[in-house]
Amino acid sequence: MELGLINKVKDTIFPQLCIACQRDGFLLCVECRAVFVCRHIQHCPGCEAVTTFGARCPEHYDHVLDGIVSATWYANPLSKRLIRLWKYRYARDAEQHIGSILTQWLQVTQQIPSGDWAIVPVPLHERRERERGFDQSLMLAHTISMELGIHLKLDLVRRARHFQKPQAELDDSKRVARSFAGVFEVNTKITVPKQVLLVDDVYTTGKTMSAVASELKSAGVEVVWGITFARGN
Ligand SMILES: [Zn+2]
Ligand SMILES: [Zn+2]
């Protein structure tokens, strides 16, 4: 059976409904996509203080992340749904929506501070990538790099240690208690960029991103800004 026909049969048995309005057709229909709400303000990486480009507030002047920008709230049911469909059900159309919502939002709102940036995805351990079949932070980093013309640097940092459970699956107290010592390693054989945009899908406590940022700064990177599709839990 040819692929088009297989998809038609699949759509007849499992009709694709819009996650917002439930209309038949697309995962997120054109009308609902057009009114998808992104964040207009950004907050400090360490607290809820509203700052320009999500820069550190005076109280968190020593936070290892210089700032964090996120396109949506994880509490937005549509954001949450898209992420879950993407990460746990491998829905390619969810991935495309997440990539396009994030990059269009970055282009329209110009949320990235100016500078000579290199884009770096938060590295996923290769074992987890094999289990899941794809690497979501790499895909987002790739999309942002292509759409915004920012250099993608893949050989800068790697994951040296693997957790049994991903950070997102732990409860709050375990998330805070988890040690990231020796989890990420920076490749010191190459010239490190001065400014890095670190990409991940969700920013929750910021522990994972801060652990990468800390290694990058120890290796000589001067500014590390985070970019995620969603923020919160
Ligand atoms: Zn809709
Ligand atoms: Zn703060």
PDB file of all heavy atoms in Angstrom, residues 68-72 74 79 83-84 86-88 98 102 121-122 124 132 134-138 140-141 168 198-204 209 227-232:
ATOM      1  N   ILE A  68      17.177  34.120  30.480  1.00  0.00           N
ATOM      2  CA  ILE A  68      16.436  32.996  29.885  1.00  0.00           C
ATOM      3  C   ILE A  68      15.193  33.548  29.187  1.00  0.00           C
ATOM      4  O   ILE A  68      14.439  34.312  29.795  1.00  0.00           O
ATOM      5  CB  ILE A  68      16.068  31.940  30.968  1.00  0.00           C
ATOM      6  CG1 ILE A  68      15.091  30.873  30.439  1.00  0.00           C
ATOM      7  CG2 ILE A  68      15.470  32.554  32.234  1.00  0.00           C
ATOM      8  CD1 ILE A  68      15.744  29.779  29.657  1.00  0.00           C
ATOM      9  N   VAL A  69      15.014  33.183  27.928  1.00  0.00           N
ATOM     10  CA  VAL A  69      13.783  33.585  27.228  1.00  0.00           C
ATOM     11  C   VAL A  69      12.985  32.332  26.878  1.00  0.00           C
ATOM     12  O   VAL A  69      13.554  31.328  26.443  1.00  0.00           O
ATOM     13  CB  VAL A  69      14.045  34.424  25.944  1.00  0.00           C
ATOM     14  CG1 VAL A  69      14.631  35.771  26.290  1.00  0.00           C
ATOM     15  CG2 VAL A  69      14.922  33.694  24.961  1.00  0.00           C
ATOM     16  N   SER A  70      11.683  32.386  27.117  1.00  0.00           N
ATOM     17  CA  SER A  70      10.814  31.251  26.825  1.00  0.00           C
ATOM     18  C   SER A  70       9.584  31.759  26.083  1.00  0.00           C
ATOM     19  O   SER A  70       8.989  32.766  26.478  1.00  0.00           O
ATOM     20  CB  SER A  70      10.377  30.558  28.118  1.00  0.00           C
ATOM     21  OG  SER A  70      11.516  30.215  28.892  1.00  0.00           O
ATOM     22  N   ALA A  71       9.215  31.039  25.029  1.00  0.00           N
ATOM     23  CA  ALA A  71       8.114  31.507  24.174  1.00  0.00           C
ATOM     24  C   ALA A  71       6.749  31.360  24.832  1.00  0.00           C
ATOM     25  O   ALA A  71       5.855  32.171  24.604  1.00  0.00           O
ATOM     26  CB  ALA A  71       8.133  30.751  22.850  1.00  0.00           C
ATOM     27  N   THR A  72       6.568  30.305  25.625  1.00  0.00           N
ATOM     28  CA  THR A  72       5.239  30.049  26.195  1.00  0.00           C
ATOM     29  C   THR A  72       5.367  29.606  27.653  1.00  0.00           C
ATOM     30  O   THR A  72       6.466  29.324  28.129  1.00  0.00           O
ATOM     31  CB  THR A  72       4.509  28.911  25.433  1.00  0.00           C
ATOM     32  OG1 THR A  72       5.153  27.672  25.725  1.00  0.00           O
ATOM     33  CG2 THR A  72       4.511  29.128  23.946  1.00  0.00           C
ATOM     34  N   TYR A  74       4.488  26.614  30.327  1.00  0.00           N
ATOM     35  CA  TYR A  74       4.152  25.189  30.314  1.00  0.00           C
ATOM     36  C   TYR A  74       2.726  24.998  30.829  1.00  0.00           C
ATOM     37  O   TYR A  74       2.040  24.048  30.473  1.00  0.00           O
ATOM     38  CB  TYR A  74       5.156  24.405  31.164  1.00  0.00           C
ATOM     39  CG  TYR A  74       5.091  22.909  30.958  1.00  0.00           C
ATOM     40  CD1 TYR A  74       5.310  22.359  29.691  1.00  0.00           C
ATOM     41  CD2 TYR A  74       4.809  22.047  31.992  1.00  0.00           C
ATOM     42  CE1 TYR A  74       5.249  21.002  29.478  1.00  0.00           C
ATOM     43  CE2 TYR A  74       4.752  20.673  31.796  1.00  0.00           C
ATOM     44  CZ  TYR A  74       4.969  20.156  30.545  1.00  0.00           C
ATOM     45  OH  TYR A  74       4.904  18.811  30.330  1.00  0.00           O
ATOM     46  N   SER A  79       0.479  24.349  25.091  1.00  0.00           N
ATOM     47  CA  SER A  79       1.935  24.147  25.091  1.00  0.00           C
ATOM     48  C   SER A  79       2.264  22.777  25.661  1.00  0.00           C
ATOM     49  O   SER A  79       3.070  22.018  25.113  1.00  0.00           O
ATOM     50  CB  SER A  79       2.634  25.178  25.974  1.00  0.00           C
ATOM     51  OG  SER A  79       2.411  26.454  25.502  1.00  0.00           O
ATOM     52  N   ILE A  83       4.063  19.611  23.761  1.00  0.00           N
ATOM     53  CA  ILE A  83       5.320  19.033  24.247  1.00  0.00           C
ATOM     54  C   ILE A  83       5.153  17.537  24.532  1.00  0.00           C
ATOM     55  O   ILE A  83       5.994  16.730  24.161  1.00  0.00           O
ATOM     56  CB  ILE A  83       5.822  19.783  25.497  1.00  0.00           C
ATOM     57  CG1 ILE A  83       6.328  21.164  25.085  1.00  0.00           C
ATOM     58  CG2 ILE A  83       6.941  19.006  26.193  1.00  0.00           C
ATOM     59  CD1 ILE A  83       6.598  22.097  26.221  1.00  0.00           C
ATOM     60  N   ARG A  84       4.060  17.181  25.150  1.00  0.00           N
ATOM     61  CA  ARG A  84       3.846  15.765  25.489  1.00  0.00           C
ATOM     62  C   ARG A  84       3.670  14.921  24.232  1.00  0.00           C
ATOM     63  O   ARG A  84       4.194  13.814  24.142  1.00  0.00           O
ATOM     64  CB  ARG A  84       2.662  15.610  26.440  1.00  0.00           C
ATOM     65  CG  ARG A  84       2.895  16.306  27.778  1.00  0.00           C
ATOM     66  CD  ARG A  84       1.870  15.932  28.808  1.00  0.00           C
ATOM     67  NE  ARG A  84       2.141  14.620  29.372  1.00  0.00           N
ATOM     68  CZ  ARG A  84       3.008  14.400  30.370  1.00  0.00           C
ATOM     69  NH1 ARG A  84       3.664  15.396  30.905  1.00  0.00           N
ATOM     70  NH2 ARG A  84       3.202  13.178  30.813  1.00  0.00           N
ATOM     71  N   TRP A  86       4.945  15.557  21.419  1.00  0.00           N
ATOM     72  CA  TRP A  86       6.248  15.527  20.750  1.00  0.00           C
ATOM     73  C   TRP A  86       7.200  14.566  21.461  1.00  0.00           C
ATOM     74  O   TRP A  86       7.798  13.681  20.837  1.00  0.00           O
ATOM     75  CB  TRP A  86       6.813  16.945  20.739  1.00  0.00           C
ATOM     76  CG  TRP A  86       8.125  17.117  20.061  1.00  0.00           C
ATOM     77  CD1 TRP A  86       8.579  16.443  18.967  1.00  0.00           C
ATOM     78  CD2 TRP A  86       9.151  18.046  20.412  1.00  0.00           C
ATOM     79  NE1 TRP A  86       9.814  16.900  18.627  1.00  0.00           N
ATOM     80  CE2 TRP A  86      10.190  17.871  19.481  1.00  0.00           C
ATOM     81  CE3 TRP A  86       9.285  19.006  21.411  1.00  0.00           C
ATOM     82  CZ2 TRP A  86      11.357  18.626  19.528  1.00  0.00           C
ATOM     83  CZ3 TRP A  86      10.449  19.751  21.445  1.00  0.00           C
ATOM     84  CH2 TRP A  86      11.464  19.580  20.524  1.00  0.00           C
ATOM     85  N   LYS A  87       7.325  14.725  22.785  1.00  0.00           N
ATOM     86  CA  LYS A  87       8.340  13.960  23.514  1.00  0.00           C
ATOM     87  C   LYS A  87       7.959  12.510  23.759  1.00  0.00           C
ATOM     88  O   LYS A  87       8.814  11.647  23.787  1.00  0.00           O
ATOM     89  CB  LYS A  87       8.618  14.621  24.873  1.00  0.00           C
ATOM     90  CG  LYS A  87       9.536  15.810  24.748  1.00  0.00           C
ATOM     91  CD  LYS A  87       9.675  16.533  26.051  1.00  0.00           C
ATOM     92  CE  LYS A  87      10.728  15.952  26.959  1.00  0.00           C
ATOM     93  NZ  LYS A  87      11.062  16.895  28.048  1.00  0.00           N
ATOM     94  N   TYR A  88       6.681  12.286  23.998  1.00  0.00           N
ATOM     95  CA  TYR A  88       6.296  10.929  24.394  1.00  0.00           C
ATOM     96  C   TYR A  88       5.528  10.174  23.320  1.00  0.00           C
ATOM     97  O   TYR A  88       5.398   8.972  23.383  1.00  0.00           O
ATOM     98  CB  TYR A  88       5.512  10.969  25.712  1.00  0.00           C
ATOM     99  CG  TYR A  88       6.305  11.670  26.798  1.00  0.00           C
ATOM    100  CD1 TYR A  88       5.929  12.895  27.296  1.00  0.00           C
ATOM    101  CD2 TYR A  88       7.495  11.104  27.278  1.00  0.00           C
ATOM    102  CE1 TYR A  88       6.688  13.556  28.253  1.00  0.00           C
ATOM    103  CE2 TYR A  88       8.265  11.754  28.227  1.00  0.00           C
ATOM    104  CZ  TYR A  88       7.861  12.982  28.713  1.00  0.00           C
ATOM    105  OH  TYR A  88       8.629  13.628  29.651  1.00  0.00           O
ATOM    106  N   ILE A  98       5.994  23.357  17.407  1.00  0.00           N
ATOM    107  CA  ILE A  98       6.867  23.871  18.463  1.00  0.00           C
ATOM    108  C   ILE A  98       8.016  24.672  17.849  1.00  0.00           C
ATOM    109  O   ILE A  98       8.298  25.797  18.266  1.00  0.00           O
ATOM    110  CB  ILE A  98       7.384  22.712  19.349  1.00  0.00           C
ATOM    111  CG1 ILE A  98       6.229  22.213  20.232  1.00  0.00           C
ATOM    112  CG2 ILE A  98       8.574  23.143  20.198  1.00  0.00           C
ATOM    113  CD1 ILE A  98       6.530  20.953  21.017  1.00  0.00           C
ATOM    114  N   LEU A 102       8.194  28.819  18.212  1.00  0.00           N
ATOM    115  CA  LEU A 102       9.366  29.393  18.887  1.00  0.00           C
ATOM    116  C   LEU A 102      10.136  30.342  17.962  1.00  0.00           C
ATOM    117  O   LEU A 102      10.459  31.469  18.353  1.00  0.00           O
ATOM    118  CB  LEU A 102      10.280  28.273  19.409  1.00  0.00           C
ATOM    119  CG  LEU A 102      11.570  28.700  20.087  1.00  0.00           C
ATOM    120  CD1 LEU A 102      11.314  29.617  21.277  1.00  0.00           C
ATOM    121  CD2 LEU A 102      12.373  27.484  20.556  1.00  0.00           C
ATOM    122  N   PRO A 121      22.704  23.138  21.833  1.00  0.00           N
ATOM    123  CA  PRO A 121      21.598  22.428  22.489  1.00  0.00           C
ATOM    124  C   PRO A 121      22.052  21.824  23.815  1.00  0.00           C
ATOM    125  O   PRO A 121      23.216  21.434  23.945  1.00  0.00           O
ATOM    126  CB  PRO A 121      21.251  21.311  21.491  1.00  0.00           C
ATOM    127  CG  PRO A 121      22.488  21.120  20.670  1.00  0.00           C
ATOM    128  CD  PRO A 121      23.288  22.388  20.714  1.00  0.00           C
ATOM    129  N   VAL A 122      21.160  21.776  24.807  1.00  0.00           N
ATOM    130  CA  VAL A 122      21.476  21.043  26.044  1.00  0.00           C
ATOM    131  C   VAL A 122      21.648  19.580  25.638  1.00  0.00           C
ATOM    132  O   VAL A 122      20.730  18.988  25.080  1.00  0.00           O
ATOM    133  CB  VAL A 122      20.348  21.198  27.082  1.00  0.00           C
ATOM    134  CG1 VAL A 122      20.502  20.197  28.216  1.00  0.00           C
ATOM    135  CG2 VAL A 122      20.334  22.611  27.631  1.00  0.00           C
ATOM    136  N   LEU A 124      21.726  15.701  25.220  1.00  0.00           N
ATOM    137  CA  LEU A 124      21.006  14.540  25.725  1.00  0.00           C
ATOM    138  C   LEU A 124      21.992  13.379  25.631  1.00  0.00           C
ATOM    139  O   LEU A 124      22.728  13.275  24.667  1.00  0.00           O
ATOM    140  CB  LEU A 124      19.816  14.294  24.797  1.00  0.00           C
ATOM    141  CG  LEU A 124      18.743  13.312  25.159  1.00  0.00           C
ATOM    142  CD1 LEU A 124      17.879  13.892  26.260  1.00  0.00           C
ATOM    143  CD2 LEU A 124      17.863  13.045  23.953  1.00  0.00           C
ATOM    144  N   ARG A 132      14.693   7.087  22.881  1.00  0.00           N
ATOM    145  CA  ARG A 132      13.579   7.922  22.454  1.00  0.00           C
ATOM    146  C   ARG A 132      13.537   8.061  20.936  1.00  0.00           C
ATOM    147  O   ARG A 132      12.499   8.326  20.358  1.00  0.00           O
ATOM    148  CB  ARG A 132      13.751   9.297  23.109  1.00  0.00           C
ATOM    149  CG  ARG A 132      12.539  10.153  23.022  1.00  0.00           C
ATOM    150  CD  ARG A 132      12.820  11.477  23.653  1.00  0.00           C
ATOM    151  NE  ARG A 132      12.551  11.503  25.075  1.00  0.00           N
ATOM    152  CZ  ARG A 132      13.049  12.422  25.900  1.00  0.00           C
ATOM    153  NH1 ARG A 132      13.868  13.334  25.446  1.00  0.00           N
ATOM    154  NH2 ARG A 132      12.750  12.405  27.169  1.00  0.00           N
ATOM    155  N   PHE A 134      15.070  10.351  19.170  1.00  0.00           N
ATOM    156  CA  PHE A 134      15.426  11.686  18.684  1.00  0.00           C
ATOM    157  C   PHE A 134      15.852  12.561  19.852  1.00  0.00           C
ATOM    158  O   PHE A 134      15.648  12.219  21.013  1.00  0.00           O
ATOM    159  CB  PHE A 134      14.271  12.331  17.928  1.00  0.00           C
ATOM    160  CG  PHE A 134      13.129  12.754  18.808  1.00  0.00           C
ATOM    161  CD1 PHE A 134      12.963  14.086  19.151  1.00  0.00           C
ATOM    162  CD2 PHE A 134      12.226  11.829  19.299  1.00  0.00           C
ATOM    163  CE1 PHE A 134      11.922  14.481  19.968  1.00  0.00           C
ATOM    164  CE2 PHE A 134      11.174  12.220  20.117  1.00  0.00           C
ATOM    165  CZ  PHE A 134      11.024  13.549  20.456  1.00  0.00           C
ATOM    166  N   ASP A 135      16.422  13.701  19.527  1.00  0.00           N
ATOM    167  CA  ASP A 135      16.961  14.604  20.538  1.00  0.00           C
ATOM    168  C   ASP A 135      16.246  15.949  20.384  1.00  0.00           C
ATOM    169  O   ASP A 135      16.483  16.688  19.437  1.00  0.00           O
ATOM    170  CB  ASP A 135      18.470  14.731  20.283  1.00  0.00           C
ATOM    171  CG  ASP A 135      19.158  15.673  21.248  1.00  0.00           C
ATOM    172  OD1 ASP A 135      18.474  16.528  21.841  1.00  0.00           O
ATOM    173  OD2 ASP A 135      20.379  15.568  21.388  1.00  0.00           O
ATOM    174  N   GLN A 136      15.350  16.262  21.340  1.00  0.00           N
ATOM    175  CA  GLN A 136      14.481  17.429  21.139  1.00  0.00           C
ATOM    176  C   GLN A 136      15.220  18.763  21.228  1.00  0.00           C
ATOM    177  O   GLN A 136      14.891  19.691  20.483  1.00  0.00           O
ATOM    178  CB  GLN A 136      13.269  17.395  22.076  1.00  0.00           C
ATOM    179  CG  GLN A 136      13.518  17.732  23.530  1.00  0.00           C
ATOM    180  CD  GLN A 136      13.997  16.534  24.333  1.00  0.00           C
ATOM    181  OE1 GLN A 136      14.227  15.451  23.785  1.00  0.00           O
ATOM    182  NE2 GLN A 136      14.164  16.721  25.619  1.00  0.00           N
ATOM    183  N   SER A 137      16.231  18.874  22.106  1.00  0.00           N
ATOM    184  CA  SER A 137      16.927  20.164  22.192  1.00  0.00           C
ATOM    185  C   SER A 137      17.778  20.401  20.938  1.00  0.00           C
ATOM    186  O   SER A 137      17.881  21.525  20.453  1.00  0.00           O
ATOM    187  CB  SER A 137      17.778  20.258  23.466  1.00  0.00           C
ATOM    188  OG  SER A 137      18.629  19.162  23.564  1.00  0.00           O
ATOM    189  N   LEU A 138      18.330  19.318  20.391  1.00  0.00           N
ATOM    190  CA  LEU A 138      19.105  19.436  19.147  1.00  0.00           C
ATOM    191  C   LEU A 138      18.200  19.907  18.006  1.00  0.00           C
ATOM    192  O   LEU A 138      18.563  20.785  17.229  1.00  0.00           O
ATOM    193  CB  LEU A 138      19.743  18.089  18.803  1.00  0.00           C
ATOM    194  CG  LEU A 138      20.430  17.998  17.443  1.00  0.00           C
ATOM    195  CD1 LEU A 138      21.606  18.947  17.341  1.00  0.00           C
ATOM    196  CD2 LEU A 138      20.911  16.569  17.177  1.00  0.00           C
ATOM    197  N   LEU A 140      15.411  21.642  18.181  1.00  0.00           N
ATOM    198  CA  LEU A 140      15.040  23.052  18.354  1.00  0.00           C
ATOM    199  C   LEU A 140      16.217  23.957  18.015  1.00  0.00           C
ATOM    200  O   LEU A 140      16.047  24.978  17.353  1.00  0.00           O
ATOM    201  CB  LEU A 140      14.603  23.320  19.798  1.00  0.00           C
ATOM    202  CG  LEU A 140      13.170  22.977  20.175  1.00  0.00           C
ATOM    203  CD1 LEU A 140      12.897  23.424  21.606  1.00  0.00           C
ATOM    204  CD2 LEU A 140      12.174  23.647  19.239  1.00  0.00           C
ATOM    205  N   ALA A 141      17.409  23.575  18.483  1.00  0.00           N
ATOM    206  CA  ALA A 141      18.613  24.380  18.223  1.00  0.00           C
ATOM    207  C   ALA A 141      18.847  24.491  16.718  1.00  0.00           C
ATOM    208  O   ALA A 141      19.176  25.559  16.195  1.00  0.00           O
ATOM    209  CB  ALA A 141      19.825  23.761  18.910  1.00  0.00           C
ATOM    210  N   ALA A 168      12.660  15.969  34.309  1.00  0.00           N
ATOM    211  CA  ALA A 168      11.238  16.326  34.227  1.00  0.00           C
ATOM    212  C   ALA A 168      10.331  15.305  34.929  1.00  0.00           C
ATOM    213  O   ALA A 168       9.206  15.616  35.285  1.00  0.00           O
ATOM    214  CB  ALA A 168      10.824  16.450  32.760  1.00  0.00           C
ATOM    215  N   LEU A 198      21.820  28.755  24.866  1.00  0.00           N
ATOM    216  CA  LEU A 198      21.638  27.358  25.230  1.00  0.00           C
ATOM    217  C   LEU A 198      20.169  26.987  25.024  1.00  0.00           C
ATOM    218  O   LEU A 198      19.284  27.655  25.559  1.00  0.00           O
ATOM    219  CB  LEU A 198      22.041  27.233  26.698  1.00  0.00           C
ATOM    220  CG  LEU A 198      22.476  25.910  27.265  1.00  0.00           C
ATOM    221  CD1 LEU A 198      23.522  25.217  26.406  1.00  0.00           C
ATOM    222  CD2 LEU A 198      23.018  26.133  28.677  1.00  0.00           C
ATOM    223  N   VAL A 199      19.927  25.930  24.254  1.00  0.00           N
ATOM    224  CA  VAL A 199      18.545  25.621  23.868  1.00  0.00           C
ATOM    225  C   VAL A 199      18.031  24.341  24.519  1.00  0.00           C
ATOM    226  O   VAL A 199      18.732  23.326  24.550  1.00  0.00           O
ATOM    227  CB  VAL A 199      18.447  25.477  22.325  1.00  0.00           C
ATOM    228  CG1 VAL A 199      17.015  25.153  21.899  1.00  0.00           C
ATOM    229  CG2 VAL A 199      18.914  26.747  21.644  1.00  0.00           C
ATOM    230  N   ASP A 200      16.807  24.414  25.041  1.00  0.00           N
ATOM    231  CA  ASP A 200      16.137  23.220  25.567  1.00  0.00           C
ATOM    232  C   ASP A 200      14.639  23.373  25.311  1.00  0.00           C
ATOM    233  O   ASP A 200      14.185  24.448  24.922  1.00  0.00           O
ATOM    234  CB  ASP A 200      16.434  23.066  27.069  1.00  0.00           C
ATOM    235  CG  ASP A 200      16.376  21.597  27.515  1.00  0.00           C
ATOM    236  OD1 ASP A 200      15.989  20.726  26.708  1.00  0.00           O
ATOM    237  OD2 ASP A 200      16.722  21.323  28.677  1.00  0.00           O
ATOM    238  N   ASP A 201      13.874  22.316  25.552  1.00  0.00           N
ATOM    239  CA  ASP A 201      12.433  22.435  25.295  1.00  0.00           C
ATOM    240  C   ASP A 201      11.702  23.151  26.431  1.00  0.00           C
ATOM    241  O   ASP A 201      10.861  24.011  26.195  1.00  0.00           O
ATOM    242  CB  ASP A 201      11.800  21.064  24.994  1.00  0.00           C
ATOM    243  CG  ASP A 201      12.088  20.031  26.062  1.00  0.00           C
ATOM    244  OD1 ASP A 201      12.941  20.286  26.930  1.00  0.00           O
ATOM    245  OD2 ASP A 201      11.456  18.959  26.039  1.00  0.00           O
ATOM    246  N   VAL A 202      12.028  22.798  27.690  1.00  0.00           N
ATOM    247  CA  VAL A 202      11.319  23.408  28.825  1.00  0.00           C
ATOM    248  C   VAL A 202      12.318  23.874  29.892  1.00  0.00           C
ATOM    249  O   VAL A 202      13.316  23.196  30.157  1.00  0.00           O
ATOM    250  CB  VAL A 202      10.347  22.393  29.483  1.00  0.00           C
ATOM    251  CG1 VAL A 202       9.539  23.055  30.596  1.00  0.00           C
ATOM    252  CG2 VAL A 202       9.383  21.815  28.458  1.00  0.00           C
ATOM    253  N   TYR A 203      12.037  25.022  30.504  1.00  0.00           N
ATOM    254  CA  TYR A 203      12.815  25.513  31.641  1.00  0.00           C
ATOM    255  C   TYR A 203      11.936  25.375  32.873  1.00  0.00           C
ATOM    256  O   TYR A 203      10.893  26.023  32.971  1.00  0.00           O
ATOM    257  CB  TYR A 203      13.183  26.984  31.420  1.00  0.00           C
ATOM    258  CG  TYR A 203      14.109  27.589  32.464  1.00  0.00           C
ATOM    259  CD1 TYR A 203      15.489  27.503  32.331  1.00  0.00           C
ATOM    260  CD2 TYR A 203      13.598  28.259  33.574  1.00  0.00           C
ATOM    261  CE1 TYR A 203      16.340  28.068  33.266  1.00  0.00           C
ATOM    262  CE2 TYR A 203      14.450  28.823  34.522  1.00  0.00           C
ATOM    263  CZ  TYR A 203      15.825  28.722  34.355  1.00  0.00           C
ATOM    264  OH  TYR A 203      16.669  29.283  35.280  1.00  0.00           O
ATOM    265  N   THR A 204      12.334  24.493  33.804  1.00  0.00           N
ATOM    266  CA  THR A 204      11.519  24.300  35.004  1.00  0.00           C
ATOM    267  C   THR A 204      12.267  24.898  36.191  1.00  0.00           C
ATOM    268  O   THR A 204      12.137  26.072  36.475  1.00  0.00           O
ATOM    269  CB  THR A 204      11.181  22.803  35.201  1.00  0.00           C
ATOM    270  OG1 THR A 204      10.637  22.305  33.977  1.00  0.00           O
ATOM    271  CG2 THR A 204      10.162  22.611  36.287  1.00  0.00           C
ATOM    272  N   MET A 209      19.945  23.321  32.760  1.00  0.00           N
ATOM    273  CA  MET A 209      20.542  24.377  31.962  1.00  0.00           C
ATOM    274  C   MET A 209      21.670  25.091  32.733  1.00  0.00           C
ATOM    275  O   MET A 209      22.713  25.410  32.167  1.00  0.00           O
ATOM    276  CB  MET A 209      19.452  25.363  31.572  1.00  0.00           C
ATOM    277  CG  MET A 209      19.763  26.072  30.287  1.00  0.00           C
ATOM    278  SD  MET A 209      18.369  27.050  29.750  1.00  0.00           S
ATOM    279  CE  MET A 209      18.062  26.331  28.155  1.00  0.00           C
ATOM    280  N   ILE A 227      17.324  29.597  25.904  1.00  0.00           N
ATOM    281  CA  ILE A 227      16.104  29.737  25.091  1.00  0.00           C
ATOM    282  C   ILE A 227      15.319  28.450  25.235  1.00  0.00           C
ATOM    283  O   ILE A 227      15.879  27.359  25.030  1.00  0.00           O
ATOM    284  CB  ILE A 227      16.418  29.902  23.583  1.00  0.00           C
ATOM    285  CG1 ILE A 227      17.135  31.199  23.289  1.00  0.00           C
ATOM    286  CG2 ILE A 227      15.129  29.829  22.759  1.00  0.00           C
ATOM    287  CD1 ILE A 227      17.327  31.433  21.797  1.00  0.00           C
ATOM    288  N   THR A 228      14.038  28.546  25.593  1.00  0.00           N
ATOM    289  CA  THR A 228      13.213  27.341  25.624  1.00  0.00           C
ATOM    290  C   THR A 228      11.861  27.631  24.987  1.00  0.00           C
ATOM    291  O   THR A 228      11.447  28.787  24.886  1.00  0.00           O
ATOM    292  CB  THR A 228      12.967  26.824  27.056  1.00  0.00           C
ATOM    293  OG1 THR A 228      12.178  27.756  27.784  1.00  0.00           O
ATOM    294  CG2 THR A 228      14.262  26.556  27.803  1.00  0.00           C
ATOM    295  N   PHE A 229      11.184  26.563  24.602  1.00  0.00           N
ATOM    296  CA  PHE A 229       9.830  26.724  24.074  1.00  0.00           C
ATOM    297  C   PHE A 229       8.897  27.123  25.217  1.00  0.00           C
ATOM    298  O   PHE A 229       8.065  28.002  25.074  1.00  0.00           O
ATOM    299  CB  PHE A 229       9.358  25.417  23.415  1.00  0.00           C
ATOM    300  CG  PHE A 229       7.916  25.442  23.013  1.00  0.00           C
ATOM    301  CD1 PHE A 229       7.487  26.266  21.978  1.00  0.00           C
ATOM    302  CD2 PHE A 229       6.984  24.660  23.673  1.00  0.00           C
ATOM    303  CE1 PHE A 229       6.138  26.310  21.612  1.00  0.00           C
ATOM    304  CE2 PHE A 229       5.640  24.696  23.310  1.00  0.00           C
ATOM    305  CZ  PHE A 229       5.216  25.528  22.283  1.00  0.00           C
ATOM    306  N   ALA A 230       9.047  26.458  26.382  1.00  0.00           N
ATOM    307  CA  ALA A 230       8.128  26.733  27.499  1.00  0.00           C
ATOM    308  C   ALA A 230       8.870  26.927  28.796  1.00  0.00           C
ATOM    309  O   ALA A 230      10.007  26.491  28.959  1.00  0.00           O
ATOM    310  CB  ALA A 230       7.123  25.591  27.626  1.00  0.00           C
ATOM    311  N   ARG A 231       8.188  27.583  29.736  1.00  0.00           N
ATOM    312  CA  ARG A 231       8.740  27.759  31.077  1.00  0.00           C
ATOM    313  C   ARG A 231       7.704  27.349  32.122  1.00  0.00           C
ATOM    314  O   ARG A 231       6.517  27.621  31.947  1.00  0.00           O
ATOM    315  CB  ARG A 231       9.151  29.222  31.303  1.00  0.00           C
ATOM    316  CG  ARG A 231       9.722  29.442  32.701  1.00  0.00           C
ATOM    317  CD  ARG A 231      10.471  30.739  32.822  1.00  0.00           C
ATOM    318  NE  ARG A 231      10.979  30.915  34.185  1.00  0.00           N
ATOM    319  CZ  ARG A 231      11.833  31.840  34.554  1.00  0.00           C
ATOM    320  NH1 ARG A 231      12.306  32.679  33.666  1.00  0.00           N
ATOM    321  NH2 ARG A 231      12.236  31.923  35.805  1.00  0.00           N
ATOM    322  N   GLY A 232       8.182  26.752  33.216  1.00  0.00           N
ATOM    323  CA  GLY A 232       7.281  26.358  34.301  1.00  0.00           C
ATOM    324  C   GLY A 232       7.090  24.865  34.359  1.00  0.00           C
ATOM    325  O   GLY A 232       7.699  24.123  33.589  1.00  0.00           O
TER     326      GLY A 232
END
